[in-house]
Amino acid sequence: GGSWCHVELPPVLPEALDVMWEGTVDSPVVVINATSKETLFVIRPPFGRLGRQMERKLENDTSISEIDSGLAAAHKVANAVFHLRALQCLARRCHECVKSASFAAIFEDDVEYVEGISPASAETFPRLLADAMRQVQASAGVNKLQLAVGNQGQPVNVAWRKAKCYLHPESVQGHARARLLRCSQYSDSHAYVITRQH
């Protein structure tokens, strides 16, 4: 609607995670809570670059929290666990805020509203997200809107070669400064709006 209802999930820290892998080509990689041994998620082959990193882990007896780049980087695994928990919260209606919600906005802890860069005021930003999600869901069946700003608050570069983004012919009705982009590739999802049906 027109205001935020907050669900704050507990932080997921890289040092709280570990992996189990039998070391064979067809064995899954299991990410677990290092203390409780709870299974957080399972990655099944083919692994590609992740597989090569896991092989190096076995060779060097490296903790997952010490891998600092690529798909197996500790912070990326921790982010994956956070996003999985956020999506499970929406799906399972874990909080009063999402008890009857058809979609939710999910933000990592490094995302912040930037006055003058974001396409709405702080007060109208929740309404912008709700209006945009309803519009693209109705017109194109879209079930996820990725929110994006450049590094250090810079505007998104539409022609950025990796994201391959182009201005969408539709604008967000009622929000003149907001623009929709159509992107064929994303490098990360620090913030997004997603439907419960996704």
Side-chain angles (χ1 to χ4, degrees):
S3 61
W4 296 119
C5 180
H6 295 270
V7 182
E8 188 166 344
L9 298 174
V12 181
L13 304 175
E15 53 268 26
L17 307 176
D18 205 351
V19 294
M20 295 188 307
W21 186 45
E22 293 177 5
T24 61
V25 174
D26 58 349
S27 63
V29 173
V30 182
V31 179
I32 63 172
N33 180 309
T35 304
S36 69
K37 305 305 179 189
E38 169 198 5
T39 297
L40 301 172
F41 60 89
V42 178
I43 307 168
R44 303 191 183 281
F47 300 120
R49 288 186 302 169
L50 177 61
R52 292 192 289 278
Q53 284 195 302
M54 290 300 102
E55 288 170 7
R56 286 197 296 273
K57 170 185 162 48
L58 286 181
E59 290 170 4
N60 302 324
D61 194 27
T62 302
S63 165
I64 191 171
S65 62
E66 295 169 344
I67 298 175
D68 59 5
S69 64
L71 296 173
H75 69 282
K76 290 189 178 180
V77 175
N79 282 347
V81 174
F82 167 79
H83 287 290
L84 179 60
R85 286 183 175 170
L87 295 172
Q88 287 172 336
C89 177
L90 175 60
R92 296 171 183 167
R93 309 244 185 243
C94 78
H95 191 277
E96 285 297 314
C97 286
V98 292
K99 199 165 191 177
S100 60
S102 57
F103 53 83
I106 296 173
F107 301 93
E108 289 182 15
D109 60 2
D110 62 351
V111 173
E112 63 180 330
Y113 172 82
V114 182
E115 190 72 49
I117 296 294
S118 296
S121 68
E123 294 74 26
T124 60
F125 195 63
R127 171 57 61 191
L128 164 62
L129 297 186
D131 289 348
M133 188 74 249
R134 287 190 187 100
Q135 179 180 321
V136 297
Q137 196 175 16
S139 66
V142 171
N143 55 26
K144 180 181 178 184
L145 278 178
Q146 181 155 320
L147 309 179
V149 292
N151 293 333
Q152 301 171 346
Q154 298 167 0
V156 173
N157 180 356
V158 176
W160 187 53
R161 62 179 179 81
K162 288 187 178 179
K164 299 183 175 70
C165 293
Y166 307 93
L167 280 172
H168 195 278
E170 284 186 45
S171 57
V172 182
Q173 296 167 8
H175 302 274
R177 290 186 56 217
R179 60 181 177 170
L180 293 171
L181 303 178
R182 177 174 287 165
C183 303
S184 59
Q185 180 179 325
Y186 295 109
S187 59
D188 212 342
S189 281
H190 287 256
Y192 51 93
V193 184
I194 194 163
T195 67
R196 190 167 179 268
Q197 291 74 32
H198 183 64

